[in-house]
Amino acid sequence: QVTKTVPELLELQFEKGELVAVNGEHFSKPVEAIQKVQEIAQPFGIGRDTHVGDTIIGIKGRVSFEAAASLIIIKAHHLLEKHTLTKNELMIKDQLSIPYGNYLHDGQVLDPVMKDIEALFTSSQDKVTGLVKVQLNPYYFSLIGIESEHDLMSSKFGTYGEINKAWTEQDVKGFSKIYSNALSIYYQVNQQT
């Protein structure tokens, strides 16, 4: 039952990828911070869903759940990562998350590759520090924005899609020519008739 109907701002503070504070209240144990988010968000009815997945023996399964804190924290953390990680860090993390999740689900926690992937995940979190603002509403939440000293989205480098401060028109022409070289060779070798 939804008992909160007035939108509310939630602030999540992360340090090196770990949730350490909720609305300015610091926690020494991550589980306590997660429980605090759940306590605040649950009355909004956020995080109710049904998941369909595959079991290790190939049978499809369905489970209904309510996980407000999990969904909010994961999405907030990912937004902070989008601002503080490089394009390639994000891509590699995303690509490794699916096999890692499958290995974990299938009980392959002792496979050495798990520790290898975990080392990359841990290393990638070095700059994932900052505040994420979330608006809670009945049945849904919205990510409002972030504040981080490691934010790579800065207007001092240029405005996305419009104005830049790092290169000229001639630089762009040269880059485009070099970047398209492999594709140009492909089409010259394999001319379409």
Side-chain angles (χ1 to χ4, degrees):
Q1 178 178 349
V2 173
T3 57
K4 285 187 178 179
T5 57
V6 177
E8 193 173 307
L9 185 65
L10 176 67
E11 294 186 340
L12 304 179
Q13 179 70 41
F14 292 88
E15 287 181 15
K16 295 192 176 204
E18 292 285 337
L19 179 62
V20 296
V22 178
N23 289 339
E25 181 181 353
H26 288 265
F27 296 90
S28 57
K29 297 178 183 174
V31 70
E32 293 172 348
I34 294 167
Q35 289 170 334
K36 184 66 174 181
V37 173
Q38 182 65 26
E39 175 188 318
I40 294 168
Q42 187 277 329
F44 285 97
I46 295 169
R48 298 174 182 175
D49 205 350
T50 300
H51 171 72
V52 175
D54 295 287
T55 66
I56 193 170
I57 57 173
I59 298 170
K60 295 277 185 193
R62 177 175 50 229
V63 60
S64 294
F65 61 90
E66 181 179 308
S70 300
L71 292 174
I72 291 168
I73 294 167
I74 288 168
K75 290 290 190 181
H77 178 263
H78 193 242
L79 180 62
L80 187 58
E81 283 185 323
K82 284 181 172 183
H83 280 262
T84 58
L85 297 183
T86 66
K87 173 184 172 181
N88 289 330
E89 285 178 307
L90 282 168
M91 179 181 64
I92 294 300
K93 277 195 74 238
D94 285 348
Q95 289 176 347
L96 286 175
S97 67
I98 292 173
Y100 182 83
N102 285 333
Y103 298 151
L104 184 64
H105 180 268
D106 293 348
Q108 299 298 310
V109 294
L110 298 179
D111 190 311
V113 76
M114 295 294 280
K115 294 295 180 201
D116 297 336
I117 296 171
E118 289 165 4
L120 182 136
F121 286 165
T122 299
S123 170
S124 75
Q125 297 304 292
D126 187 52
K127 303 285 189 284
V128 185
T129 296
L131 182 73
V132 181
K133 296 178 182 181
V134 182
Q135 182 173 312
L136 305 176
N137 302 285
Y139 302 110
Y140 74 98
F141 64 95
S142 301
L143 301 173
I144 304 301
I146 70 112
E147 295 173 10
S148 174
E149 65 182 274
H150 304 290
D151 190 353
L152 300 175
M153 195 170 107
S154 171
S155 61
K156 73 180 181 181
F157 301 115
T159 305
Y160 184 75
E162 296 173 12
I163 303 167
N164 77 77
K165 299 173 183 174
W167 58 83
T168 67
E169 177 186 344
Q170 292 299 63
D171 294 330
V172 172
K173 286 179 181 177
F175 171 79
S176 299
K177 187 173 184 178
I178 291 168
Y179 193 72
S180 65
N181 191 50
L183 201 53
S184 174
I185 292 169
Y186 171 84
Y187 281 108
Q188 289 176 49
V189 170
N190 302 292
Q191 289 181 352
Q192 306 276 334
T193 54

